[in-house]
Amino acid sequence: MAGGFFDRSSIVAPPGWSRWLVPPAALAVHLGIGQAYAWSVLKTGLGQGLQLSGTATALPFQLAIVMLGLSAAVFGTQVERRGPRWAMAVATACFAAGFLISAAGIAMGQYWLVIVGYGAVGGIGLGIGYISPVSTLIKWFVDRPGMATGIAIMGFGGGALIASPVETALLSAFGRTPGGLASTFLVLGIAYAIFMSLGWLLIRVPPEGWRPPGAAAESEDPAQRGPAVSVSKAVRLPQFWFLWIVLCFNVTAGIGILERADGIFRDFFGSTTTAQQLAGAAAAFVAILSLANMLGRFVWSSTSDLVGRKNIYRMYLGLGALLYLVILTLGEGNKVIFLIASLLILSFYGAGFATVPAYLKDLFGTYQVGAIHGRLLTAWSAAGVLGPLIVNAIVDASDAEGPARYTTSFIIMTALLAIGFVANELIRPVDPKHYVSDAERAAPEGSAAAEERRQGATR
Amino acid sequence: MTDRTTSAPTGGRLVLAVVAWLWVLIPFVYGVYSLVLKVPALF
């Protein structure tokens, strides 16, 4: 498999290549697939144009998120082995194909094609695209992994900011008829294919043994070289599962606000303003939460390079739990406190995603960090079910009015964050006896030596 | 190895870096701007 255009060996950075060319490649993919968070705009258009229920129009997005977690877990090792160009190209093809299949389905009146296209095919693109640049970024920015993955994963949060006004403009231009919807999906498919292609064209991996300028050379002593744990070993270690709990509960707590942001704002401030002002303010609240979610990914993840991963998660989880209690006790009618607390919670939600690859690198090394990250994202899928379930089921079942409707669900969120806090405290460095051998460490996935070793093992 | 791959781009690679960053930053800034326009309604 050596020598092909999409192979890892073809994208080893030549002399003079700047590592600052890698973040835009990663951003091109993440800003593209981040469109998923703007599904609500297309959902509304599909509901109006095809006369479908809210449940039916939610299906493509729900399936896409499930496929994101599954494909990241299933294809993680493949992504590590084949390299980021292959992964980004597959992600681009799948994500764009999802729109094109959906456009064909709408044009033919076959809505199941939208579910399969956007949900299944596009969802695979989401999962592979999400993990595709992570390992490469960490290897280029081994001195600042939190900042590097923060930039890329901020792109996933920012993708919706681009997609939302663009989708609104396209639906206005083409109309919310079946023909107009098909045209909207067609244009989006072509646009994302072009936009995301910068990623697989530009991405490069560092030469083996490369170190950032100013960084100390890698030690020859195996004991000093830091962790290098294989994905098969990592998933059998408690550190992985404690981190799984941390990510799952941090995401669940964020969804606690994100899922019903509009309704929460109306229930907390509905009695203090007119209906028209309230609608505008609630929409603005949703918008500013997106901004906090996105900025938190970069700011807090970059901060983790300075204060350490364990400490930053102490803040996400510990302060996050306190902020939920602040909203419950002081938030009613006090917009400033309510806004500060909810914006911080959402910034911690986004930051939890962005910081976790660097946490994995600290624990397991860069050896197979992309594949391990893929497995860990199943925590996101679990939180995607758990979060809405807690918020919607409990709030809908409540007879209370106003902020009191959220008392039980916010207390549960506080408890989940406290459990996450304890799980973070239980994370210890991995025992060196779990590291891979020196021979395996010297032949990372995708290298010719690793290929020879694999073929030797199968002979 | 560090002397073969630089931190800051130079020459032709500088142009490539500018184009690549503009490719992602222009739509991103447009998205942020569209969002910020909504925020005054909050107060």
Side-chain angles (χ1 to χ4, degrees), chain A residues 35 42 46 95-107 114 118 166-167 170-171 174-175 177-194:
Chain A
Q35 176 280 337
L42 297 177
L46 286 169
F95 193 65
F99 279 104
L100 301 181
I101 294 167
S102 300
I106 295 167
V114 180
Y118 187 90
V166 170
E167 287 168 3
L170 287 173
L171 287 172
F174 292 127
T177 60
L181 286 163
S183 299
T184 299
F185 274 81
L186 179 67
V187 169
L188 286 172
I190 295 168
Y192 278 116
I194 295 169

Side-chain angles (χ1 to χ4, degrees), chain A residues 252 256 259-260 264 267 328 385-416:
Chain A
T252 303
E259 173 75 9
R260 294 182 75 110
I264 290 172
D267 283 325
L328 272 180
V385 176
L386 196 62
L389 195 71
I390 292 171
V391 179
N392 293 326
I394 293 174
V395 173
D396 291 344
S398 171
D399 294 329
E401 293 292 322
R405 296 179 72 194
Y406 301 95
T407 304
T408 308
S409 61
F410 281 13
I411 288 172
I412 291 173
M413 295 303 173
T414 304
L416 290 179

Side-chain angles (χ1 to χ4, degrees), chain A residues 427-454:
Chain A
I427 295 174
R428 297 279 180 271
V430 175
D431 191 320
K433 73 181 181 186
H434 298 300
Y435 296 178
V436 295
S437 67
D438 287 351
E440 288 172 297
R441 190 195 284 260
E445 282 295 351
S447 68
E451 198 62 28
E452 281 172 22
R453 197 182 63 240
R454 190 176 301 108

Side-chain angles (χ1 to χ4, degrees), chain A residues 107-310:
Chain A
M108 293 188 294
Q110 301 292 321
Y111 184 66
W112 66 271
L113 277 174
V114 180
I115 300 170
V116 171
Y118 187 90
V121 180
I124 292 171
L126 286 182
I128 295 178
Y130 192 89
I131 59 172
S132 62
V134 167
S135 163
T136 305
L137 278 166
I138 288 177
K139 285 168 186 163
W140 275 114
F141 290 88
V142 72
D143 50 339
R144 280 179 282 180
M147 181 210 70
T149 56
I151 290 174
I153 294 173
M154 178 181 73
F156 193 77
L161 307 189
I162 301 170
S164 183
V166 170
E167 287 168 3
T168 304
L170 287 173
L171 287 172
S172 298
F174 292 127
R176 290 162 195 258
T177 60
L181 286 163
S183 299
T184 299
F185 274 81
L186 179 67
V187 169
L188 286 172
I190 295 168
Y192 278 116
I194 295 169
F195 180 74
M196 291 169 66
S197 290
L198 178 80
W200 55 268
L201 288 169
L202 190 63
I203 194 74
R204 295 289 184 278
V205 294
E208 279 176 37
W210 180 83
R211 303 287 292 168
E218 196 171 50
S219 171
E220 293 296 316
D221 178 6
Q224 300 292 318
R225 274 191 276 170
V229 183
S230 68
V231 61
S232 56
K233 173 65 77 176
V235 297
R236 294 201 296 270
L237 295 174
Q239 287 88 345
F240 176 88
W241 291 105
F242 286 139
L243 200 49
W244 194 97
I245 291 169
V246 164
L247 182 64
C248 182
F249 289 173
N250 190 55
V251 174
T252 303
I255 290 174
I257 285 189
L258 205 56
E259 173 75 9
R260 294 182 75 110
D262 184 279
I264 290 172
F265 189 88
R266 288 169 187 272
D267 283 325
F268 271 78
F269 300 102
S271 59
T272 60
T273 185
T274 65
Q276 194 178 2
Q277 285 174 328
L278 184 64
F285 178 60
V286 175
I288 203 170
L289 286 184
S290 303
L291 204 58
N293 174 11
M294 185 188 70
L295 290 177
R297 293 170 189 240
F298 176 68
V299 172
W300 299 129
S301 187
S302 300
T303 307
S304 76
D305 288 335
L306 303 173
V307 302
R309 249 58 77 174
K310 192 160 192 162

